[in-house]
């Protein structure tokens, strides 16, 4: 693959546009904040995070996979599997790891301080799926690189997984309406917008549930699944008790939230 960054960006932009149109045509919940203001700052955070990764990480997951492959490092570079099966197992293992990492970022106080910036968004839509603190992004990439070396994840599997993960995050954060029967069917396998909206409820029990990004099976298997928000989807209050003013949606305020309690 000659230009994985271009491939990832092409999928990112396509899914962002499609989900943006979808939630504009069939919104699930009435928004409470100025959408243009939120989008400007949430999307601005993407650019800032990309800059941080390029400046502070010597290699990313794809480059780590190339090195692991070249040096026969990790499980899949030692034990041979049929290529398609290896890709599927790799995606399952990485998705489970992302689930466990997400739980960890909720359970460990100093990690929660980083992750709560994602939850401080007072509306949830497609751009919320891209809203993570740069320190969390760097830590997540370091964890992913460690998994790549330990498991010997192939470069192709990394690209496929990163596209799936990114697309899933934007899909399940979308403020868009799915027919209830379709939602019930899909959420048996993947995380739907209605399922993930519970995770962004201001009610603590709901905030600390539904941790999956792509597959919904991990929440069911590990007992962290809540089907519906207590107040219903239209009335659920999005966010956390902290950082409720409009100015907290500003980029500079978001970046300092882990270091403040008001």
């Amino acid at each position: 693959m000659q230009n994985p960054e271009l491939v990832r960006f092409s999928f990112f932009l396509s899914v962002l546009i499609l989900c943006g149109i979808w939630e504009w045509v069939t919104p699930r919940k009435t928004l409470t904040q100025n959408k243009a203001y939120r989008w400007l700052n949430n999307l601005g955070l993407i650019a800032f995070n990309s800059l941080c990764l390029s400046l502070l990480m010597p290699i990313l997951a794809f480059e780590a996979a190339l090195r692991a492959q070249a040096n026969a490092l990790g499980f899949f570079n030692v034990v041979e599997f049929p290529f398609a099966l290896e890709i599927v197992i790799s995606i399952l293992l990485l998705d489970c790891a992302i689930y466990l990492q997400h739980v960890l970022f909720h359970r460990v106080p100093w990690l929660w301080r980083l992750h709560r910036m994602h939850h401080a968004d007072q509306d949830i839509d497609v751009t919320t799926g891209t809203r993570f603190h740069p320190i969390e992004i760097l830590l997540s990439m370091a964890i992913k690189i460690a998994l790549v070396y330990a498991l010997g994840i192939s470069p192709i599997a990394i690209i496929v997984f990163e596209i799936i993960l990114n697309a899933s995050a934007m899909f399940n954060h979308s403020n868009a309406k799915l027919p209830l029967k379709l939602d019930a069917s899909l959420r048996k396998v993947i995380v739907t917008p209605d399922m993930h909206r519970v995770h962004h409820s201001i009610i603590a029990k709901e905030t600390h549930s539904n941790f999956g990004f792509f597959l919904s099976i991990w929440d069911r298997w590990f007992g962290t699944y809540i089907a519906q928000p207590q107040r219903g989807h239209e009335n659920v209050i999005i966010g956390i008790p902290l950082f409720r003013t409009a100015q907290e949606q500003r980029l500079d305020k978001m970046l300092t939230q882990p270091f403040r309690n008001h």
Side-chain angles (χ1 to χ4, degrees):
M1 187 173 293
Q2 297 299 313
N3 197 335
E5 290 300 325
L6 180 59
V7 173
R8 279 190 293 243
F9 180 74
S10 298
F11 275 96
F12 163 78
L13 192 59
S14 299
V15 175
L16 176 67
I17 291 170
L18 288 173
C19 288
I21 293 171
W22 179 34
E23 63 184 20
W24 176 66
V25 174
T26 58
R28 182 67 164 101
K29 184 182 186 323
T30 302
L31 299 180
T32 64
Q33 308 296 306
N34 183 291
K35 187 168 183 174
Y37 185 72
R38 285 183 55 260
W39 274 53
L40 177 65
N41 286 278
N42 284 352
L43 295 177
L45 186 62
I46 298 175
F48 185 80
N49 285 340
S50 298
L51 178 63
C52 288
L53 277 175
S54 64
L55 292 176
L56 299 176
M57 294 294 290
I59 62 170
L60 301 181
F62 179 76
E63 289 78 14
L66 289 174
R67 295 187 183 191
Q69 190 177 67
N71 294 283
L73 299 174
F75 178 76
F76 287 117
N77 288 317
V78 176
V79 180
E80 289 192 11
F81 282 81
F83 182 68
L85 180 60
E86 179 185 330
I87 298 295
V88 171
I89 294 174
S90 295
I91 290 171
L92 289 172
L93 290 173
L94 287 169
D95 195 55
C96 184
I98 292 295
Y99 166 86
L100 295 172
Q101 174 190 307
H102 195 178
V103 173
L104 192 67
F105 271 77
H106 276 249
R107 298 285 190 260
V108 178
W110 71 272
L111 292 174
W112 169 245
R113 291 182 75 93
L114 295 172
H115 184 64
R116 72 186 182 187
M117 191 209 77
H118 175 68
H119 284 266
D121 204 345
Q122 294 175 56
D123 281 327
I124 178 173
D125 66 17
V126 61
T127 64
T128 311
T130 67
R131 175 186 159 130
F132 295 93
H133 197 277
I135 299 177
E136 179 176 357
I137 293 289
L138 292 168
L139 287 173
S140 296
M141 182 57 69
I143 292 170
K144 194 186 298 182
I145 289 170
L147 286 169
V148 166
Y149 279 123
L151 297 174
I153 305 292
S154 75
I156 295 296
I158 281 294
I159 292 296
V160 172
F161 177 71
E162 288 188 336
I163 288 170
I164 290 173
L165 184 65
N166 194 251
S168 297
M170 289 190 285
F171 165 74
N172 61 46
H173 284 86
S174 295
N175 180 40
K177 187 181 296 183
L178 275 176
L180 295 181
K181 287 186 178 180
L182 179 58
D183 174 87
S185 297
L186 287 176
R187 71 162 63 194
K188 292 177 182 178
V189 181
I190 65 172
V191 180
T192 64
D194 274 13
M195 178 179 165
H196 195 71
R197 192 173 296 104
V198 177
H199 182 72
H200 282 263
S201 164
I202 201 171
I203 298 172
K205 182 181 179 181
E206 297 178 350
T207 304
H208 304 302
S209 71
N210 295 9
F211 295 100
F213 268 85
F214 172 40
L215 297 175
S216 63
I217 56 176
W218 315 120
D219 283 297
R220 296 176 187 275
W221 288 359
F222 291 107
T224 54
Y225 175 69
I226 294 179
Q228 303 294 336
Q230 179 181 311
R231 303 184 187 204
H233 288 282
E234 181 56 41
N235 296 316
V236 62
I237 299 174
I238 301 299
I240 55 176
L242 286 172
F243 313 127
R244 301 296 301 176
T245 62
Q247 69 174 0
E248 289 294 345
Q249 306 304 317
R250 207 172 68 210
L251 179 57
D252 62 321
K253 290 289 188 180
M254 286 194 282
L255 292 173
T256 60
Q257 283 174 5
F259 316 107
R260 295 187 285 115
N261 283 320
H262 55 81

